[in-house]
């Protein structure tokens, strides 16, 4: 964060801190949203839009431009420029009246109902929505750390990490080896690593056709596997080699200086390495005591309320959303349910039954898109899948092109739904 | 010329036809077909007119004749796997735009169910080995494509519709932009309801929308129609 934005955040924060937390029936109720991503931005926008000023909505988000992880693989493949996946918060403030504070939330005092910010101010809330995305479980990748990500990017959070990985792939020596260490379950965007492999293969086929790609995968099978493997063979010949853990053993040591990944059975030397560790809820969620042993936050299926505290809602990747995958689509879908519940609780507006759905598209080559989707129902135990579909292998080129075009429509739709 | 072809084929196919369980009457269907004839030819040597020739239409993938220029909507339906079986033909002939928005078949539809059955029996007689063609695909219509008047009469609750619409605008842009995914704002409610039920019954083939519609009750669809009609 630069100094100017830090100061501006502080000023806004200070102004907010002077207002004491309100209660229903007295001053305007306040909702603080932590994290301006797929879950948080959507929730902030819907509460502000639908309550028409009756609820004070404060969004805490450190970055000024949100670079989507979705479509970041298309940037790596050369199908999107970087600016096209960046979005700012201006309209949330100017058109919907959301108070956007560019700062980190450092703690939630659930008894006092306040959120502390890095700048030192605290903000009171009636409800807090926690949507900080993911953080990494570095214990799943021995030797790898935040510091090592400067040489071996994870590129699993949007922004500069994505740019670094793309730059490294473009600069890779002719005939070099790109190694990806895929994450163990559960992680954000189940098809994401394999879409990334497709896009890297596309880039390298054009720029560095003798390059090799090795995927080391702690899982024995993965999302849309048949579709991805069909595409890799069809478009990229034998460039991509996918190895499940049974073929390399467990990970022993990752060394960013020597660019090696040592496993039980073998040592892999990389020219470019993409290390994607195991994942947990964003740090703020665990520090606020909202997580369980899994590292993610249990929620009440029909409201997205934390099981630990009814004044807290958890959205998106940080939540345990039953059968829903961790995706931008899911986070956006959950946000609308939570926004409806929060508004009903704070303003007495009508409550409706929850609706959850998800569709994830992946691009495997030029004009060749595939998709998987499902619908869900909130049962007392979990958000449970009630049916779904997946693209089939061997579909016509025309259908695949149409599927890709749908994904562009969706990207425009969801980003407008998040940021206005 | 078309009439002659028609009569010729009826002669051939009427023999043994009664063994089939199709409801319609081929001969009566030939009469109903007169409303199609200004645009469609059928029978030996039939060529494309305003619309494509209708030989071998049963079992054919919609919008799939390579030498005819179809609308994007009909082609897309075929690309998504829609084939002409009895039920899809009935839906299309009843109300072309309910099945395919933006179809170039500018035709008001055949309102009588009996006329449609007869017409379909007639069309079927011009497809090879009609006995081998399944009545419908395994995944096709779970129910009749035409929407029950009682469902059409449900008055939608626009406030509930606004909440439900929040699910739609993840894909359909609320400002009506239609790149990649069509615009759904400002539609007359009746057409909206019919189209949503065409996804729900799987008459329309796109799996994304089939999934969405499967999650919606009749009241939900009415509420959405009431809300989106007012959006611009
Ligand atoms: C390569 C890749 C491809 C993907 N492709 C798709 C796709 O095609 N479709 C799809 O639906 N999903 C896709 N995803 C998944 C999608 O990006 C995530 O599931 C989604 O972003 C989750 O939303 P969220 O709101 O939970 O978290 P995020 O969108 O990550 O938002 C969290 C926000 O919280 C902020 N934050 C974190 N901590 C704090 C704090 N302490 N204080 C204040 N702010 C904080 C962060 O800066 C961030 O902006 C992809 C992911 C990856 C990595």
């Amino acid at each position: 964060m630069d100094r100017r934005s830090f100061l501006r955040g502080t000023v806004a924060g200070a102004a907010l801190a002077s207002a004491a937390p309100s209660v229903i029936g007295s001053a305007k109720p306040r909702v603080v949203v932590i994290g301006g991503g797929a879950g948080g931005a959507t929730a902030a926008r819907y509460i502000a839009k639908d309550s028409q000023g009756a609820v004070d909505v404060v969004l805490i988000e450190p970055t000024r431009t949100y670079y989507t992880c979705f479509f970041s693989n298309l940037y790596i493949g050369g199908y999107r420029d970087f600016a096209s996946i960046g979005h700012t918060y201006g309209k949330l403030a100017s058109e919907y009246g959301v108070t956007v504070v560019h700062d980190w939330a450092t703690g939630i005092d659930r008894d006092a109902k306040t959120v502390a910010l890095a700048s030192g101010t605290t903000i009171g809330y009636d409800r807090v929505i926690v949507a900080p995305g993911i953080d990494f479980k570095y214990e799943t990748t021995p030797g790898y750390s935040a510091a090592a990500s400067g040489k071996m990017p994870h590129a699993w959070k949007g922004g500069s990490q994505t740019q670094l990985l793309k730059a490294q792939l473009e600069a890779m020596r002719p005939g070099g080896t790109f190694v990806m260490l895929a994450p163990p379950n559960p992680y954000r965007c189940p098809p994401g690593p394999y879409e990334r492999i497709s896009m890297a293969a596309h880039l390298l086929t054009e720029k560095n056709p003798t390059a090799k790609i090795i995927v080391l995968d702690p899982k024995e099978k993965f999302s849309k596997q048949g579709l991805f493997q069909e595409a890799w063979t069809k478009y990229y010949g034998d460039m991509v080699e996918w190895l499940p853990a049974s073929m390399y053993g467990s990970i022993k040591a990752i060394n960013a200086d020597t660019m090696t990944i040592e496993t039980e059975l073998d040592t892999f030397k990389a020219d470019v390495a993409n290390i994607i560790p195991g994942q947990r809820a964003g740090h703020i969620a665990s520090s606020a005591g909202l997580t369980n042993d899994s590292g993610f936050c249990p929620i009440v299926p029909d409201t997205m309320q934390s099981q630990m505290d009814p004044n807290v809602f958890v959205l998106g990747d940080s939540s345990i959303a039953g059968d829903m995958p961790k995706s931008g689509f899911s986070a956006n879908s959950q946000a609308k349910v939570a926004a409806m519940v929060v508004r009903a609780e704070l303003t007495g507006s009508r409550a409706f039954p929850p609706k959850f759905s998800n569709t994830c598209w992946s691009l495997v080559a030029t004009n060749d898109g595939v998709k998987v989707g499902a619908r869900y129902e909130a049962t007392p135990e979990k958000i449970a899948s009630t049916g779904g579909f997946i693209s089939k292998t061997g579909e016509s080129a025309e259908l695949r092109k149409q599927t890709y075009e749908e994904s562009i429509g969706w990207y425009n739709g969801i980003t407008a739904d998040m940021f206005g | 010329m078309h009439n002659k072809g028609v009569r010729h084929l009826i002669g051939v196919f009427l023999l043994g036809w009664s063994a089939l369980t199709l409801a319609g009457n081929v001969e009566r269907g030939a009469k109903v077909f007169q409303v199609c004839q200004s645009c469609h030819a059928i029978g030996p040597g039939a060529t494309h007119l305003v619309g494509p020739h209708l030989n071998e239409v049963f079992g054919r993938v919609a919008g799939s004749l390579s030498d005819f220029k179809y609308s994007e909507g009909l082609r897309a339906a075929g690309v998504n796997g829609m084939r002409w079986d009895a039920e899809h033909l009935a839906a299309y002939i009843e109300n072309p735009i309910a099945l395919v928005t933006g179809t170039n078949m500018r035709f008001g539809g055949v309102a009588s169910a009996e006329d449609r059955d007869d017409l379909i029996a007639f069309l079927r007689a011009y497809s090879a080995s009609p006995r081998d063609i399944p009545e419908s695909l395994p995944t096709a219509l779970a129910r009749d494509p035409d929407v029950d008047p009682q469902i059409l009469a449900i008055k939608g609750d626009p406030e509930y519709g606004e909440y439900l619409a929040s699910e739609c605008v993840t894909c359909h842009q609320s400002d009506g932009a239609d790149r990649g995914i069509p615009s759904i704002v400002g539609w007359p409610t009746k057409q909206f309801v019919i189209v949503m039920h065409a996804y729900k019954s799987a008459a329309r083939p796109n799996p994304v929308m089939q999934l969405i519609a499967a999650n919606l009750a009749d009241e939900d669809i009415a509420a959405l129609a009431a809300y989106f009609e007012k959006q611009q």
Side-chain angles (χ1 to χ4, degrees), chain A residues 34-39 60-62 66 69-70 72-73 104-105 131-133 156 188-189 196 284 316-317 326-329 331 361 410:
Chain A
I34 301 177
I60 317 289
E61 164 61 48
Y66 175 85
C69 281
F70 29 106
S72 68
N73 289 326
W104 288 93
W156 219 243
R188 66 166 31 161
C189 197
R196 175 168 292 168
I284 183 86
D317 292 352
K326 297 189 187 302
S327 72
F329 199 117
W361 289 264
W410 162 76

mmCIF file of all heavy atoms in Angstrom, chain A residues 34-39 60-62 66 69-70 72-73 104-105 131-133 156 188-189 196 284 316-317 326-329 331 361 410, ligand 1:
data_model
loop_
_atom_site.group_PDB
_atom_site.id
_atom_site.type_symbol
_atom_site.label_atom_id
_atom_site.label_comp_id
_atom_site.label_asym_id
_atom_site.label_seq_id
_atom_site.Cartn_x
_atom_site.Cartn_y
_atom_site.Cartn_z
ATOM 1 N N ILE A 34 -15.387 -7.553 5.489
ATOM 2 C CA ILE A 34 -13.925 -7.696 5.433
ATOM 3 C C ILE A 34 -13.544 -8.472 4.183
ATOM 4 O O ILE A 34 -13.855 -9.657 4.046
ATOM 5 C CB ILE A 34 -13.401 -8.406 6.696
ATOM 6 C CG1 ILE A 34 -13.786 -7.597 7.946
ATOM 7 C CG2 ILE A 34 -11.889 -8.606 6.607
ATOM 8 C CD1 ILE A 34 -13.380 -8.260 9.254
ATOM 9 N N GLY A 35 -12.890 -7.785 3.256
ATOM 10 C CA GLY A 35 -12.471 -8.423 2.008
ATOM 11 C C GLY A 35 -13.364 -8.017 0.863
ATOM 12 O O GLY A 35 -14.570 -8.234 0.900
ATOM 13 N N GLY A 36 -12.776 -7.386 -0.173
ATOM 14 C CA GLY A 36 -13.555 -6.900 -1.308
ATOM 15 C C GLY A 36 -13.414 -7.772 -2.535
ATOM 16 O O GLY A 36 -13.219 -7.271 -3.643
ATOM 17 N N GLY A 37 -13.489 -9.093 -2.351
ATOM 18 C CA GLY A 37 -13.408 -10.010 -3.494
ATOM 19 C C GLY A 37 -14.782 -10.455 -3.949
ATOM 20 O O GLY A 37 -15.771 -9.741 -3.766
ATOM 21 N N ALA A 38 -14.812 -11.648 -4.549
ATOM 22 C CA ALA A 38 -16.064 -12.145 -5.137
ATOM 23 C C ALA A 38 -17.176 -12.178 -4.095
ATOM 24 O O ALA A 38 -18.321 -11.810 -4.378
ATOM 25 C CB ALA A 38 -15.839 -13.524 -5.746
ATOM 26 N N GLY A 39 -16.862 -12.611 -2.876
ATOM 27 C CA GLY A 39 -17.882 -12.668 -1.836
ATOM 28 C C GLY A 39 -18.165 -11.296 -1.248
ATOM 29 O O GLY A 39 -19.318 -10.836 -1.218
ATOM 30 N N ILE A 60 -13.884 -3.175 3.971
ATOM 31 C CA ILE A 60 -12.449 -3.078 4.268
ATOM 32 C C ILE A 60 -11.700 -3.927 3.251
ATOM 33 O O ILE A 60 -11.921 -5.154 3.184
ATOM 34 C CB ILE A 60 -12.122 -3.654 5.674
ATOM 35 C CG1 ILE A 60 -13.145 -3.213 6.718
ATOM 36 C CG2 ILE A 60 -10.683 -3.316 6.077
ATOM 37 C CD1 ILE A 60 -13.074 -1.784 7.105
ATOM 38 N N GLU A 61 -10.833 -3.326 2.479
ATOM 39 C CA GLU A 61 -10.081 -4.069 1.456
ATOM 40 C C GLU A 61 -8.745 -3.348 1.237
ATOM 41 O O GLU A 61 -8.740 -2.180 0.888
ATOM 42 C CB GLU A 61 -10.901 -4.121 0.157
ATOM 43 C CG GLU A 61 -10.121 -4.518 -1.095
ATOM 44 C CD GLU A 61 -9.488 -5.910 -1.027
ATOM 45 O OE1 GLU A 61 -10.169 -6.875 -0.658
ATOM 46 O OE2 GLU A 61 -8.280 -6.013 -1.327
ATOM 47 N N PRO A 62 -7.625 -4.044 1.445
ATOM 48 C CA PRO A 62 -6.335 -3.359 1.333
ATOM 49 C C PRO A 62 -5.982 -2.897 -0.088
ATOM 50 O O PRO A 62 -5.348 -1.858 -0.249
ATOM 51 C CB PRO A 62 -5.335 -4.401 1.842
ATOM 52 C CG PRO A 62 -6.042 -5.720 1.763
ATOM 53 C CD PRO A 62 -7.494 -5.419 1.928
ATOM 54 N N TYR A 66 -8.648 -4.747 -7.614
ATOM 55 C CA TYR A 66 -8.821 -6.183 -7.398
ATOM 56 C C TYR A 66 -8.581 -6.871 -8.733
ATOM 57 O O TYR A 66 -9.303 -6.625 -9.702
ATOM 58 C CB TYR A 66 -10.234 -6.449 -6.892
ATOM 59 C CG TYR A 66 -10.604 -7.912 -6.740
ATOM 60 C CD1 TYR A 66 -10.285 -8.631 -5.592
ATOM 61 C CD2 TYR A 66 -11.305 -8.590 -7.745
ATOM 62 C CE1 TYR A 66 -10.648 -9.962 -5.445
ATOM 63 C CE2 TYR A 66 -11.675 -9.915 -7.604
ATOM 64 C CZ TYR A 66 -11.335 -10.600 -6.446
ATOM 65 O OH TYR A 66 -11.700 -11.923 -6.310
ATOM 66 N N CYS A 69 -8.793 -13.653 -9.882
ATOM 67 C CA CYS A 69 -8.129 -14.924 -10.186
ATOM 68 C C CYS A 69 -8.828 -15.561 -11.376
ATOM 69 O O CYS A 69 -8.191 -16.177 -12.227
ATOM 70 C CB CYS A 69 -8.193 -15.870 -8.998
ATOM 71 S SG CYS A 69 -6.996 -15.507 -7.713
ATOM 72 N N PHE A 70 -10.172 -15.409 -11.409
ATOM 73 C CA PHE A 70 -10.861 -15.964 -12.573
ATOM 74 C C PHE A 70 -10.444 -15.171 -13.800
ATOM 75 O O PHE A 70 -10.356 -13.962 -13.783
ATOM 76 C CB PHE A 70 -12.388 -16.033 -12.429
ATOM 77 C CG PHE A 70 -13.043 -15.010 -11.545
ATOM 78 C CD1 PHE A 70 -13.752 -13.967 -12.114
ATOM 79 C CD2 PHE A 70 -12.956 -15.084 -10.171
ATOM 80 C CE1 PHE A 70 -14.389 -13.019 -11.324
ATOM 81 C CE2 PHE A 70 -13.582 -14.136 -9.360
ATOM 82 C CZ PHE A 70 -14.285 -13.098 -9.941
ATOM 83 N N SER A 72 -7.500 -15.193 -14.833
ATOM 84 C CA SER A 72 -6.060 -14.909 -14.779
ATOM 85 C C SER A 72 -5.288 -15.943 -15.608
ATOM 86 O O SER A 72 -4.229 -15.646 -16.150
ATOM 87 C CB SER A 72 -5.557 -14.895 -13.329
ATOM 88 O OG SER A 72 -5.600 -16.179 -12.739
ATOM 89 N N ASN A 73 -5.848 -17.148 -15.721
ATOM 90 C CA ASN A 73 -5.191 -18.136 -16.589
ATOM 91 C C ASN A 73 -5.280 -17.714 -18.052
ATOM 92 O O ASN A 73 -4.392 -18.019 -18.847
ATOM 93 C CB ASN A 73 -5.823 -19.518 -16.405
ATOM 94 C CG ASN A 73 -5.464 -20.129 -15.053
ATOM 95 O OD1 ASN A 73 -4.363 -19.904 -14.552
ATOM 96 N ND2 ASN A 73 -6.374 -20.897 -14.479
ATOM 97 N N TRP A 104 -6.079 -3.087 6.008
ATOM 98 C CA TRP A 104 -6.223 -4.473 6.454
ATOM 99 C C TRP A 104 -7.040 -4.509 7.732
ATOM 100 O O TRP A 104 -6.834 -3.707 8.630
ATOM 101 C CB TRP A 104 -4.853 -5.077 6.787
ATOM 102 C CG TRP A 104 -4.004 -5.351 5.603
ATOM 103 C CD1 TRP A 104 -3.075 -4.524 5.059
ATOM 104 C CD2 TRP A 104 -3.985 -6.556 4.825
ATOM 105 N NE1 TRP A 104 -2.478 -5.130 3.970
ATOM 106 C CE2 TRP A 104 -3.025 -6.377 3.816
ATOM 107 C CE3 TRP A 104 -4.699 -7.765 4.888
ATOM 108 C CZ2 TRP A 104 -2.748 -7.363 2.862
ATOM 109 C CZ3 TRP A 104 -4.420 -8.741 3.950
ATOM 110 C CH2 TRP A 104 -3.460 -8.533 2.943
ATOM 111 N N ALA A 105 -7.931 -5.481 7.850
ATOM 112 C CA ALA A 105 -8.546 -5.778 9.143
ATOM 113 C C ALA A 105 -7.556 -6.665 9.885
ATOM 114 O O ALA A 105 -7.048 -7.637 9.323
ATOM 115 C CB ALA A 105 -9.867 -6.503 8.945
ATOM 116 N N ALA A 131 -14.994 -12.234 4.458
ATOM 117 C CA ALA A 131 -14.772 -12.846 3.139
ATOM 118 C C ALA A 131 -13.345 -12.574 2.679
ATOM 119 O O ALA A 131 -13.111 -11.919 1.660
ATOM 120 C CB ALA A 131 -15.782 -12.299 2.128
ATOM 121 N N PRO A 132 -12.344 -13.068 3.437
ATOM 122 C CA PRO A 132 -10.954 -12.743 3.121
ATOM 123 C C PRO A 132 -10.272 -13.725 2.172
ATOM 124 O O PRO A 132 -9.049 -13.648 1.989
ATOM 125 C CB PRO A 132 -10.283 -12.790 4.506
ATOM 126 C CG PRO A 132 -11.053 -13.859 5.237
ATOM 127 C CD PRO A 132 -12.467 -13.819 4.695
ATOM 128 N N GLY A 133 -11.035 -14.652 1.558
ATOM 129 C CA GLY A 133 -10.393 -15.590 0.633
ATOM 130 C C GLY A 133 -9.542 -16.602 1.377
ATOM 131 O O GLY A 133 -9.887 -17.015 2.484
ATOM 132 N N TRP A 156 -1.706 -17.972 -6.850
ATOM 133 C CA TRP A 156 -3.040 -18.456 -6.470
ATOM 134 C C TRP A 156 -3.842 -17.367 -5.763
ATOM 135 O O TRP A 156 -4.937 -17.589 -5.272
ATOM 136 C CB TRP A 156 -2.932 -19.753 -5.638
ATOM 137 C CG TRP A 156 -4.022 -20.705 -6.030
ATOM 138 C CD1 TRP A 156 -5.032 -21.178 -5.232
ATOM 139 C CD2 TRP A 156 -4.253 -21.279 -7.331
ATOM 140 N NE1 TRP A 156 -5.864 -22.002 -5.965
ATOM 141 C CE2 TRP A 156 -5.417 -22.080 -7.246
ATOM 142 C CE3 TRP A 156 -3.597 -21.173 -8.571
ATOM 143 C CZ2 TRP A 156 -5.926 -22.780 -8.337
ATOM 144 C CZ3 TRP A 156 -4.102 -21.872 -9.661
ATOM 145 C CH2 TRP A 156 -5.245 -22.661 -9.531
ATOM 146 N N ARG A 188 -9.186 -23.442 -3.634
ATOM 147 C CA ARG A 188 -10.035 -22.593 -4.476
ATOM 148 C C ARG A 188 -9.919 -23.021 -5.942
ATOM 149 O O ARG A 188 -8.831 -23.295 -6.420
ATOM 150 C CB ARG A 188 -9.706 -21.104 -4.293
ATOM 151 C CG ARG A 188 -8.349 -20.686 -4.771
ATOM 152 C CD ARG A 188 -8.157 -19.163 -4.906
ATOM 153 N NE ARG A 188 -8.907 -18.337 -3.993
ATOM 154 C CZ ARG A 188 -8.602 -17.073 -3.716
ATOM 155 N NH1 ARG A 188 -7.546 -16.505 -4.293
ATOM 156 N NH2 ARG A 188 -9.329 -16.367 -2.890
ATOM 157 N N CYS A 189 -11.056 -23.084 -6.579
ATOM 158 C CA CYS A 189 -11.141 -23.360 -8.007
ATOM 159 C C CYS A 189 -10.586 -24.735 -8.405
ATOM 160 O O CYS A 189 -9.474 -24.832 -8.937
ATOM 161 C CB CYS A 189 -10.450 -22.275 -8.823
ATOM 162 S SG CYS A 189 -10.958 -22.340 -10.551
ATOM 163 N N ARG A 196 -4.798 -23.731 -15.924
ATOM 164 C CA ARG A 196 -3.507 -23.039 -16.001
ATOM 165 C C ARG A 196 -2.509 -23.843 -16.846
ATOM 166 O O ARG A 196 -1.793 -23.269 -17.665
ATOM 167 C CB ARG A 196 -2.941 -22.797 -14.606
ATOM 168 C CG ARG A 196 -1.546 -22.192 -14.675
ATOM 169 C CD ARG A 196 -1.082 -21.688 -13.346
ATOM 170 N NE ARG A 196 -1.865 -20.532 -12.911
ATOM 171 C CZ ARG A 196 -1.825 -20.039 -11.675
ATOM 172 N NH1 ARG A 196 -1.042 -20.606 -10.764
ATOM 173 N NH2 ARG A 196 -2.542 -18.977 -11.361
ATOM 174 N N ILE A 284 -7.457 -13.680 8.967
ATOM 175 C CA ILE A 284 -8.340 -12.950 9.889
ATOM 176 C C ILE A 284 -9.451 -13.853 10.436
ATOM 177 O O ILE A 284 -9.887 -13.714 11.579
ATOM 178 C CB ILE A 284 -8.938 -11.691 9.192
ATOM 179 C CG1 ILE A 284 -9.811 -10.854 10.124
ATOM 180 C CG2 ILE A 284 -9.762 -12.047 7.976
ATOM 181 C CD1 ILE A 284 -9.048 -9.867 10.924
ATOM 182 N N GLY A 316 -17.645 -17.328 0.741
ATOM 183 C CA GLY A 316 -16.614 -17.648 -0.240
ATOM 184 C C GLY A 316 -15.639 -18.693 0.222
ATOM 185 O O GLY A 316 -15.968 -19.599 0.986
ATOM 186 N N ASP A 317 -14.388 -18.548 -0.231
ATOM 187 C CA ASP A 317 -13.372 -19.569 -0.011
ATOM 188 C C ASP A 317 -13.139 -19.873 1.465
ATOM 189 O O ASP A 317 -12.727 -20.980 1.815
ATOM 190 C CB ASP A 317 -12.039 -19.116 -0.628
ATOM 191 C CG ASP A 317 -12.088 -19.067 -2.147
ATOM 192 O OD1 ASP A 317 -13.095 -19.524 -2.727
ATOM 193 O OD2 ASP A 317 -11.115 -18.570 -2.748
ATOM 194 N N LYS A 326 -15.062 -24.104 -4.009
ATOM 195 C CA LYS A 326 -14.563 -22.760 -3.724
ATOM 196 C C LYS A 326 -14.345 -22.064 -5.058
ATOM 197 O O LYS A 326 -13.369 -22.338 -5.755
ATOM 198 C CB LYS A 326 -13.264 -22.848 -2.929
ATOM 199 C CG LYS A 326 -13.467 -23.500 -1.574
ATOM 200 C CD LYS A 326 -12.231 -23.402 -0.705
ATOM 201 C CE LYS A 326 -12.414 -24.210 0.581
ATOM 202 N NZ LYS A 326 -13.592 -23.777 1.382
ATOM 203 N N SER A 327 -15.269 -21.211 -5.420
ATOM 204 C CA SER A 327 -15.149 -20.511 -6.703
ATOM 205 C C SER A 327 -15.687 -19.104 -6.552
ATOM 206 O O SER A 327 -16.416 -18.806 -5.592
ATOM 207 C CB SER A 327 -15.954 -21.241 -7.791
ATOM 208 O OG SER A 327 -17.345 -21.056 -7.585
ATOM 209 N N GLY A 328 -15.343 -18.247 -7.499
ATOM 210 C CA GLY A 328 -15.877 -16.905 -7.506
ATOM 211 C C GLY A 328 -17.390 -16.938 -7.670
ATOM 212 O O GLY A 328 -18.113 -16.167 -7.038
ATOM 213 N N PHE A 329 -17.857 -17.844 -8.508
ATOM 214 C CA PHE A 329 -19.294 -17.988 -8.730
ATOM 215 C C PHE A 329 -19.990 -18.340 -7.425
ATOM 216 O O PHE A 329 -21.003 -17.735 -7.048
ATOM 217 C CB PHE A 329 -19.542 -19.065 -9.791
ATOM 218 C CG PHE A 329 -20.891 -19.011 -10.436
ATOM 219 C CD1 PHE A 329 -21.020 -18.758 -11.796
ATOM 220 C CD2 PHE A 329 -22.045 -19.211 -9.689
ATOM 221 C CE1 PHE A 329 -22.271 -18.704 -12.396
ATOM 222 C CE2 PHE A 329 -23.292 -19.172 -10.286
ATOM 223 C CZ PHE A 329 -23.410 -18.927 -11.633
ATOM 224 N N ALA A 331 -18.919 -17.874 -4.329
ATOM 225 C CA ALA A 331 -18.805 -16.781 -3.361
ATOM 226 C C ALA A 331 -19.864 -15.718 -3.654
ATOM 227 O O ALA A 331 -20.526 -15.192 -2.748
ATOM 228 C CB ALA A 331 -17.403 -16.175 -3.412
ATOM 229 N N TRP A 361 -16.447 -22.364 -15.919
ATOM 230 C CA TRP A 361 -15.942 -22.611 -17.260
ATOM 231 C C TRP A 361 -14.418 -22.694 -17.208
ATOM 232 O O TRP A 361 -13.788 -22.019 -16.387
ATOM 233 C CB TRP A 361 -16.312 -21.449 -18.178
ATOM 234 C CG TRP A 361 -17.755 -21.346 -18.532
ATOM 235 C CD1 TRP A 361 -18.359 -21.837 -19.656
ATOM 236 C CD2 TRP A 361 -18.803 -20.677 -17.810
ATOM 237 N NE1 TRP A 361 -19.699 -21.528 -19.666
ATOM 238 C CE2 TRP A 361 -20.003 -20.827 -18.550
ATOM 239 C CE3 TRP A 361 -18.851 -19.982 -16.596
ATOM 240 C CZ2 TRP A 361 -21.223 -20.298 -18.142
ATOM 241 C CZ3 TRP A 361 -20.072 -19.459 -16.177
ATOM 242 C CH2 TRP A 361 -21.242 -19.616 -16.944
ATOM 243 N N TRP A 410 -20.335 -14.492 -18.848
ATOM 244 C CA TRP A 410 -20.349 -14.659 -17.386
ATOM 245 C C TRP A 410 -19.336 -13.718 -16.721
ATOM 246 O O TRP A 410 -19.639 -13.093 -15.711
ATOM 247 C CB TRP A 410 -20.034 -16.115 -17.006
ATOM 248 C CG TRP A 410 -19.617 -16.236 -15.576
ATOM 249 C CD1 TRP A 410 -20.437 -16.193 -14.482
ATOM 250 C CD2 TRP A 410 -18.282 -16.361 -15.071
ATOM 251 N NE1 TRP A 410 -19.687 -16.299 -13.329
ATOM 252 C CE2 TRP A 410 -18.365 -16.405 -13.657
ATOM 253 C CE3 TRP A 410 -17.025 -16.456 -15.678
ATOM 254 C CZ2 TRP A 410 -17.243 -16.522 -12.844
ATOM 255 C CZ3 TRP A 410 -15.910 -16.581 -14.867
ATOM 256 C CH2 TRP A 410 -16.024 -16.610 -13.473
HETATM 257 C C1 LIG C 1 -6.065 -19.423 -11.214
HETATM 258 C C2 LIG C 1 -7.456 -19.317 -10.705
HETATM 259 C C3 LIG C 1 -8.528 -19.385 -11.572
HETATM 260 C C4 LIG C 1 -9.819 -19.270 -11.096
HETATM 261 N N1 LIG C 1 -10.857 -19.338 -11.983
HETATM 262 C C5 LIG C 1 -12.131 -19.256 -11.546
HETATM 263 C C6 LIG C 1 -13.212 -19.315 -12.456
HETATM 264 O O1 LIG C 1 -13.023 -19.451 -13.663
HETATM 265 N N2 LIG C 1 -14.463 -19.210 -11.966
HETATM 266 C C7 LIG C 1 -14.707 -19.042 -10.633
HETATM 267 O O2 LIG C 1 -15.865 -18.936 -10.269
HETATM 268 N N3 LIG C 1 -13.699 -18.979 -9.741
HETATM 269 C C8 LIG C 1 -12.417 -19.082 -10.165
HETATM 270 N N4 LIG C 1 -11.383 -19.019 -9.267
HETATM 271 C C9 LIG C 1 -11.679 -18.969 -7.814
HETATM 272 C C10 LIG C 1 -12.000 -17.584 -7.315
HETATM 273 O O3 LIG C 1 -10.988 -16.672 -7.641
HETATM 274 C C11 LIG C 1 -12.178 -17.610 -5.801
HETATM 275 O O4 LIG C 1 -12.915 -18.727 -5.421
HETATM 276 C C12 LIG C 1 -12.899 -16.345 -5.345
HETATM 277 O O5 LIG C 1 -12.114 -15.220 -5.612
HETATM 278 C C13 LIG C 1 -13.264 -16.430 -3.872
HETATM 279 O O6 LIG C 1 -13.865 -15.243 -3.435
HETATM 280 P P1 LIG C 1 -13.635 -14.718 -1.954
HETATM 281 O O7 LIG C 1 -14.473 -13.514 -1.821
HETATM 282 O O8 LIG C 1 -13.806 -15.838 -0.993
HETATM 283 O O9 LIG C 1 -12.084 -14.347 -1.914
HETATM 284 P P2 LIG C 1 -11.258 -13.307 -2.810
HETATM 285 O O10 LIG C 1 -11.923 -13.054 -4.087
HETATM 286 O O11 LIG C 1 -9.862 -13.801 -2.815
HETATM 287 O O12 LIG C 1 -11.332 -11.973 -1.985
HETATM 288 C C14 LIG C 1 -10.742 -11.837 -0.735
HETATM 289 C C15 LIG C 1 -10.356 -10.382 -0.528
HETATM 290 O O13 LIG C 1 -10.125 -10.167 0.836
HETATM 291 C C16 LIG C 1 -9.035 -9.308 1.004
HETATM 292 N N5 LIG C 1 -8.507 -9.564 2.343
HETATM 293 C C17 LIG C 1 -7.850 -10.660 2.799
HETATM 294 N N6 LIG C 1 -7.550 -10.515 4.095
HETATM 295 C C18 LIG C 1 -8.023 -9.314 4.489
HETATM 296 C C19 LIG C 1 -7.999 -8.594 5.707
HETATM 297 N N7 LIG C 1 -7.428 -9.089 6.784
HETATM 298 N N8 LIG C 1 -8.585 -7.377 5.748
HETATM 299 C C20 LIG C 1 -9.189 -6.853 4.654
HETATM 300 N N9 LIG C 1 -9.209 -7.491 3.464
HETATM 301 C C21 LIG C 1 -8.642 -8.702 3.381
HETATM 302 C C22 LIG C 1 -8.104 -9.671 -0.126
HETATM 303 O O14 LIG C 1 -7.266 -8.586 -0.468
HETATM 304 C C23 LIG C 1 -9.084 -10.003 -1.252
HETATM 305 O O15 LIG C 1 -9.332 -8.911 -2.096
HETATM 306 C C24 LIG C 1 -10.062 -19.095 -9.716
HETATM 307 C C25 LIG C 1 -8.983 -19.026 -8.831
HETATM 308 C C26 LIG C 1 -7.696 -19.141 -9.305
HETATM 309 C C27 LIG C 1 -6.566 -19.048 -8.362
#
